[in-house]
Amino acid sequence: MHPETHLALHHTRTAELHAEAEAHRLAGRPRRPRALRTRVGWTLVEIGLRLATPVPASAPL
């Protein structure tokens, strides 16, 4: 393959990949990605604290 043809194909493919990446970046932006993460994190903290807290001897089983 002629070197200039090969270079032109690379430039074309690079432009296509940049366009696909930009379309993907604009299409899938989550609005609040940390809301679920925060709730799950605090739930895990609460569960951990409940597991770490000793049960009093007078508590019903």
Side-chain angles (χ1 to χ4, degrees):
M1 184 181 289
H2 196 273
E4 290 181 17
T5 306
H6 192 68
L7 184 61
L9 288 174
H10 276 291
H11 285 295
T12 304
R13 181 65 179 143
T14 302
E16 290 174 357
L17 288 174
H18 280 287
E20 285 181 30
E22 187 64 28
H24 179 71
R25 188 174 18 254
L26 293 176
R29 290 222 169 148
R31 296 193 188 264
R32 293 183 53 180
R34 293 187 180 205
L36 178 61
R37 183 177 179 183
T38 302
R39 287 189 311 200
V40 170
W42 281 113
T43 302
L44 290 173
V45 168
E46 183 180 352
I47 291 171
L49 289 173
R50 287 183 185 191
L51 290 173
T53 305
V55 178
S58 63
L61 296 176

